[in-house]
Amino acid sequence: MSGDPLVSVCIPAYNCEKYVSACIESVLSQTFHNIEIIVIDDCSTDATWERLQAYSDHRLSLSRNTQNLGAEKNWNACLEQASGEYIQFLPSDDMLYPEAIAKRLAVLEVTGNRDLSFVFSARHIVDGEDKRVMTALLSKAGRRDRSDLVRQNVTRGMNVIGEPACVLFRSSCAMKAGGFSAKLPYLIDLDYWIRLLEFGDAWCLAEPLCSFRLTGQNWTFRLKSERRDNYLALIDAIAELPWVNISRTAVITGKARAYLNEVLRVLFYKFVVKV
């Protein structure tokens, strides 16, 4: 590989010894090769670091924090090291499919799409044993107006864009948006997507290009009722954004759906994912 990498894949890792190898291999197996892979282990207490040290690909940069920094600081440490024109975050228990970067990059590289802040795709939801539970696509495919996309996140009371594995974004927009914030821990990703949308529209790909894992141990599951409270707070914050222009009725509808979604999510975890 000559010159600077076009895409930076950032993998913030913590206590994921069971899944981190599959995560790393999913990136090494990408059909697009001009990438750098930045992995920062947040002082894991299991064998995550030992698993990571088994890899020696020249595109791979491994480091380990001397103490646990938490998601916000570790994610931002990854972001600060990224040198690519495009950035892909990938939690260490999730996976990219082989053509994920190539197909997302193809959208952003189109001349007429240079005003897009990011591209996102559908994903497969899998359990702790890699069993596919469902395919999730919560937004219409194609170009998505930034204001409409943010309003949809409000009125549906849920993240319709997806988790970090779903999104490839421009580093130029990230520089304007700043770092990740864990003020709303469950929504650290959606909060960032909304901040990126201030600088351009987005594009949705209907094809599932990654998998998002749900287990009884992962962050999404553990936060439980805090998800709802975080979402209510985010809706209030979005209502204050002048470029979104959302109605009071939409805010009320979104809050009601956020309550309902939390009930449905708990039932989904219990009876479908069985965690």
Side-chain angles (χ1 to χ4, degrees), residues 2-250:
S2 60
D4 296 328
L6 188 62
V7 178
S8 298
V9 180
C10 298
I11 304 177
Y14 180 66
N15 283 0
C16 52
E17 62 178 349
K18 184 176 179 180
Y19 306 114
V20 70
S21 295
C23 175
I24 296 293
E25 288 165 13
S26 78
V27 182
L28 295 175
S29 299
Q30 290 297 298
T31 58
F32 182 81
H33 300 292
N34 189 11
I35 63 175
E36 65 176 355
I37 308 166
I38 300 163
V39 187
I40 303 180
D41 175 39
D42 198 17
C43 198
S44 294
T45 58
D46 64 1
T48 295
W49 181 240
E50 288 72 22
R51 298 280 192 276
L52 289 170
Q53 289 180 297
Y55 296 93
S56 59
D57 191 282
H58 71 282
R59 297 169 295 176
L60 186 63
S61 170
L62 298 176
S63 61
R64 188 172 193 243
N65 298 327
T66 56
Q67 61 182 359
N68 181 262
L69 301 181
E72 178 182 359
K73 291 182 178 180
N74 199 41
W75 288 32
N76 283 328
C78 290
L79 190 62
E80 289 170 6
Q81 290 190 28
S83 63
E85 186 176 340
Y86 304 96
I87 301 174
Q88 170 74 62
F89 264 73
L90 182 64
S92 52
D93 50 1
D94 297 338
M95 292 184 294
L96 296 178
Y97 297 160
E99 294 186 295
I101 291 177
K103 290 186 174 182
R104 292 170 183 171
L105 188 60
V107 173
L108 293 174
E109 288 278 270
V110 171
T111 301
N113 288 343
R114 295 300 170 88
D115 60 335
L116 295 177
S117 58
F118 62 80
V119 58
F120 63 106
S121 74
R123 70 280 199 195
H124 290 134
I125 309 297
V126 300
D127 65 13
E129 303 304 322
D130 289 318
K131 178 183 177 182
R132 189 176 300 172
V133 177
M134 65 178 292
T135 300
L137 176 64
L138 300 176
S139 184
K140 184 172 63 175
R143 177 180 278 267
R144 300 306 317 277
D145 174 81
R146 61 180 189 144
S147 298
D148 287 344
L149 186 56
V150 173
R151 284 193 292 268
Q152 188 181 9
N153 280 279
V154 171
T155 57
R156 296 189 65 174
M158 66 171 64
N159 180 352
V160 303
I161 297 170
E163 300 76 27
C166 300
V167 179
L168 178 69
F169 58 91
R170 295 187 190 276
S171 59
S172 58
C173 292
M175 291 178 65
K176 297 174 186 177
F180 289 94
S181 169
K183 182 178 180 180
L184 303 174
Y186 172 65
L187 302 174
I188 187 172
D189 50 359
L190 180 56
D191 170 78
Y192 201 67
W193 308 153
I194 291 170
R195 287 159 54 203
L196 289 174
L197 285 168
E198 183 177 353
F199 306 105
D201 291 340
W203 191 283
C204 178
L205 293 170
E207 180 183 358
L209 294 174
C210 59
S211 65
F212 170 67
R213 190 182 305 279
L214 282 176
T215 70
Q217 286 72 47
N218 75 1
W219 191 15
T220 299
F221 182 82
R222 292 198 310 269
L223 287 166
K224 296 184 178 179
S225 63
E226 191 176 346
R227 288 185 294 256
R228 180 202 61 217
D229 295 337
N230 279 193
Y231 218 98
L232 298 178
L234 181 66
I235 289 174
D236 285 334
I238 290 172
E240 299 298 320
L241 297 175
W243 59 273
V244 176
N245 189 26
I246 192 165
S247 69
R248 180 60 181 165
T249 299

